[in-house]
Amino acid sequence: MKKWERFRKSVSHAWEGFMHAVRHEPNMRIHLIFAITVIPLGWLLDIPWRDSLLVVFAVFLVLISEMINTAIESTVNLVSEQHHKWAKIAKDTAASAVLLAAVLSIIIGLAVFLPPILRLVGTFIHN
């Protein structure tokens, strides 16, 4: 198989995994809604490009964490259908990684978006 064909197939499989997470994981859809909202908001508020990079990093970190969490949960479910303390630890730890990424993204979002929003509100109040 040619290298290009192998690469194309691996990208196709990765896309299938992404779409599976979007279709079957409600939290992934919530994260995507926030991602689709904050990126244009940064453009509308004329956020400096370095701050925009921070926002994009935070968005991708949350999405990546959610997908790793989904992979871990699916693997644990495949290995054992019974409730087991180690399975719970694996799932809870993966979920907490998503939570930490989401908290970080909120902190970054507040640091980046709050000052221009407050300036905009102040402009409307003073006019």
Side-chain angles (χ1 to χ4, degrees):
M1 185 182 319
K2 293 183 180 180
K3 288 181 183 178
W4 178 250
E5 181 64 19
R6 225 177 329 167
F7 175 73
R8 189 196 65 73
K9 279 189 174 186
S10 68
V11 169
S12 175
H13 292 306
W15 181 251
E16 287 176 27
F18 177 77
M19 291 310 298
H20 173 84
V22 170
R23 280 189 223 103
H24 300 284
E25 297 297 325
N27 288 342
M28 184 65 164
R29 291 191 293 276
I30 292 167
H31 298 314
L32 275 176
I33 289 167
F34 277 106
I36 291 167
T37 303
V38 298
I39 292 174
L41 183 63
W43 178 75
L44 287 171
L45 293 173
D46 199 25
I47 301 296
W49 71 270
R50 289 182 187 196
D51 289 347
S52 294
L53 282 177
L54 279 173
V55 170
V56 168
F57 172 79
V59 164
F60 273 81
L61 181 63
V62 171
L63 296 176
I64 291 165
S65 299
E66 184 63 45
M67 293 182 75
I68 291 170
N69 179 49
T70 299
I72 289 170
E73 286 183 350
S74 297
T75 302
V76 168
N77 290 343
L78 177 66
V79 172
S80 175
E81 292 181 8
Q82 297 174 346
H83 291 284
H84 191 278
K85 104 176 177 180
W86 295 111
K88 180 179 179 356
I89 290 170
K91 288 180 170 188
D92 290 353
T93 304
S96 70
V98 179
L99 179 62
L100 289 174
V103 169
L104 176 63
S105 72
I106 291 168
I107 293 168
I108 290 172
L110 288 172
V112 168
F113 289 108
L114 201 54
I117 288 172
L118 291 176
R119 278 194 299 276
L120 188 62
V121 169
T123 302
F124 285 119
I125 291 173
H126 289 56
N127 285 336

